[in-house]
């Protein structure tokens, strides 16, 4: 017997390899000893009363095979088995942290809830990029609907066995057994049936592709557009005010009366002929004054910008 083999015999808790494939891990955890009720109670008390981390480690290690067993029930979601086991192990550690042996319940029964809860959370976050279930009721419906659909397919004897959607009778059956509204079953069935859509086109799609990224982006919040809008606002307020300051009083009044004032009825400013009557000159003269004023203002705005 080699020294390493002898060590493994003396310390059965060292059987789980630190590295290796998933099959090696599963084989190792299945060789770990199962605690008796007396041992489980003793270790749980040591951890709760003395914060004995070694006792907590033994409680976790002895139930790793439980996580492997539970995780196999969720392989149908297409997620890596190793990731499911990892998330389940997190739930197991949470259960050990909260376990109270004085309640008279075995850890295996108490830990099931925490293991499944962590695996459920992982599936809901990673099964689809967009969440299909956000509330507690939707989560319950999500997991139960998948399993019930499979049972309904297995029980179907007609030639339409390979259909993916539920019939009206099956929807009523699911709603009745799960005690939910018929509309909720239809909505969840639609979410499950919908596939993921790539936001950006793939290379094979060609130049004519029109992926969602082309119309989902909010251009109004794009940084360069925001800066441009901010700059336009500054030019429309401070810039125009400074440009008006370079004009003589008559030119400034003509520009303001023509372009910056609004009548009570919502119409624009005065016409060339109206201003010509006010100043006792021709409309052509008002146009010349206006043109010269605009030239000065454009120069002032360019310097301000």
């Amino acid at each position: 017997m080699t020294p390493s083999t002898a060590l493994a015999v003396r310390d059965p808790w060292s059987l789980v390899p630190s590295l290796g494939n998933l099959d090696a891990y599963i084989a190792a955890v299945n060789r770990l000893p199962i605690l008796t009720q007396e041992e489980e109670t003793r270790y749980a008390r040591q951890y709760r009363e003395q914060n004995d981390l070694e006792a907590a480690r033994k409680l976790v290690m002895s139930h790793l095979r439980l996580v492997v067993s539970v995780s196999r029930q969720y392989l149908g979601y297409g997620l890596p088995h190793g990731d499911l086991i990892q998330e389940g192990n997190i739930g197991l550690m949470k259960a050990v942290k909260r376990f109270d042996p004085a309640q008279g319940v075995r850890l295996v029964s108490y830990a099931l809830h925490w293991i499944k809860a962590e695996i459920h959370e992982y599936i809901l976050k990673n099964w689809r990029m967009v969440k299909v279930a956000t509330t507690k009721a939707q989560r319950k419906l999500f997991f139960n609907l998948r399993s019930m659909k499979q049972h309904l397919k297995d029980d179907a004897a007609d030639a339409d066995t390979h259909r993916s959607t539920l019939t009206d009778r099956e929807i009523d059956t699911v709603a009745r057994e799960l005690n939910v509204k018929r509309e909720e079953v239809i909505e969840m069935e639609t979410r499950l049936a919908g596939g993921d859509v790539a936001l950006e086109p793939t290379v094979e799609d060609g130049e004519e592709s029109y992926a969602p990224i082309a119309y989902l982006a909010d251009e109004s919040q794009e940084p360069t557009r925001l800066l441009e809008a901010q700059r336009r606002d500054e030019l429309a307020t401070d810039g125009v005010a400074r440009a008006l300051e370079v004009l003589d009083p008559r030119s400034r009044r003509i520009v303001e009366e023509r372009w910056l004032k609004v009548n009570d009825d919502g119409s624009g400013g005065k016409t060339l002929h109206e201003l010509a009557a006010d100043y006792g000159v021709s409309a052509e003269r008002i146009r010349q004054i206006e043109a010269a004023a605009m030239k000065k203002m454009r120069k002032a705005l360019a310097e301000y910008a």
Side-chain angles (χ1 to χ4, degrees):
M1 181 180 295
T2 63
S4 60
T5 305
L7 177 60
V9 173
R10 290 194 302 270
D11 185 12
W13 303 106
S14 64
L15 289 173
V16 178
S18 57
L19 295 174
N21 58 32
L22 183 60
D23 292 335
Y25 170 84
I26 294 175
V29 299
N30 285 333
R31 293 197 300 269
L32 290 171
I34 299 177
L35 298 177
T36 64
Q37 185 170 1
E38 291 75 15
E39 291 173 329
E40 180 181 293
T41 302
R42 183 172 72 252
Y43 290 141
R45 286 176 177 172
Q46 289 176 4
Y47 175 60
R48 286 181 64 87
E49 298 172 3
Q50 306 170 25
N51 197 29
D52 187 344
L53 296 182
E54 179 61 23
R57 186 178 76 90
K58 291 180 178 179
L59 289 171
V60 171
M61 298 282 282
S62 65
H63 289 79
L64 290 177
R65 68 179 68 199
L66 173 65
V67 176
V68 173
S69 176
V70 173
S71 65
R72 287 197 180 102
Q73 303 172 18
Y74 299 93
L75 291 177
Y77 293 94
L79 298 172
H81 191 191
D83 290 351
L84 294 172
I85 293 175
Q86 177 176 281
E87 297 300 320
N89 286 342
I90 294 175
L92 173 60
M93 288 185 285
K94 289 182 177 181
V96 169
K97 184 177 182 180
R98 295 167 173 80
F99 180 59
D100 183 3
Q103 298 295 326
V105 179
R106 293 296 300 268
L107 178 58
V108 63
S109 301
Y110 181 77
L112 272 175
H113 164 76
W114 293 96
I115 295 171
K116 290 183 177 181
E118 288 297 322
I119 293 178
H120 286 184
E121 188 69 22
Y122 170 74
I123 292 174
L124 291 172
K125 286 182 178 179
N126 296 276
W127 188 61
R128 289 272 179 85
M129 180 177 292
V130 179
K131 290 185 177 181
V132 295
T134 55
T135 66
K136 184 177 180 180
Q138 288 177 345
R139 294 182 182 190
K140 180 180 178 182
L141 180 57
F142 171 81
F143 287 102
N144 283 282
L145 181 58
R146 280 179 61 89
S147 60
M148 289 192 66
K149 281 182 64 177
Q150 187 60 46
H151 288 311
L152 290 171
K153 287 182 180 180
D154 294 340
D155 295 339
D158 56 289
D160 197 22
T161 305
H162 299 289
R163 56 184 166 75
S164 58
T165 58
L166 296 174
T167 64
D168 289 341
R169 178 180 295 180
E170 290 171 341
I171 291 174
D172 293 334
T173 301
V174 172
R176 183 175 61 256
E177 294 189 10
L178 297 181
N179 194 26
V180 296
K181 295 180 180 179
R182 190 175 188 275
E183 292 76 13
E184 294 175 351
V185 177
I186 296 175
E187 180 184 1
M188 183 58 66
E189 167 71 2
T190 303
R191 293 186 183 186
L192 292 175
D196 293 329
V197 178
L199 286 177
E200 297 183 351
T202 59
V203 178
E204 294 78 8
D205 289 338
E207 297 181 357
E208 300 300 324
S209 62
Y210 193 57
I213 194 67
Y215 54 84
L216 288 181
D218 185 2
E219 295 184 356
S220 64
Q221 299 302 314
E222 201 270 327
T224 57
R225 291 181 177 271
L226 290 175
L227 291 174
E228 291 175 359
Q230 181 181 356
R231 193 58 179 161
R232 284 197 302 270
D233 292 341
E234 291 177 356
L235 289 175
T237 53
D238 297 342
V240 171
R242 294 192 182 187
L244 287 172
E245 292 176 357
V246 303
L247 302 179
D248 60 84
R250 184 178 64 172
S251 298
R252 177 170 182 169
R253 179 173 179 270
I254 289 175
V255 171
E256 289 177 343
E257 292 287 350
R258 282 276 287 157
W259 303 106
L260 301 180
K261 288 187 178 181
V262 180
N263 298 325
D264 295 337
D265 59 358
S267 60
K270 291 184 177 182
T271 65
L272 293 175
H273 292 282
E274 289 174 337
L275 287 171
D278 291 343
Y279 285 97
V281 295
S282 65
E284 175 60 20
R285 180 57 184 157
I286 296 296
R287 189 195 64 77
Q288 293 173 353
I289 295 173
E290 179 188 27
M294 289 295 185
K295 184 176 181 181
K296 291 181 180 180
M297 290 183 65
R298 280 193 293 269
K299 182 179 179 181
L301 283 173
E303 293 175 354
Y304 174 78

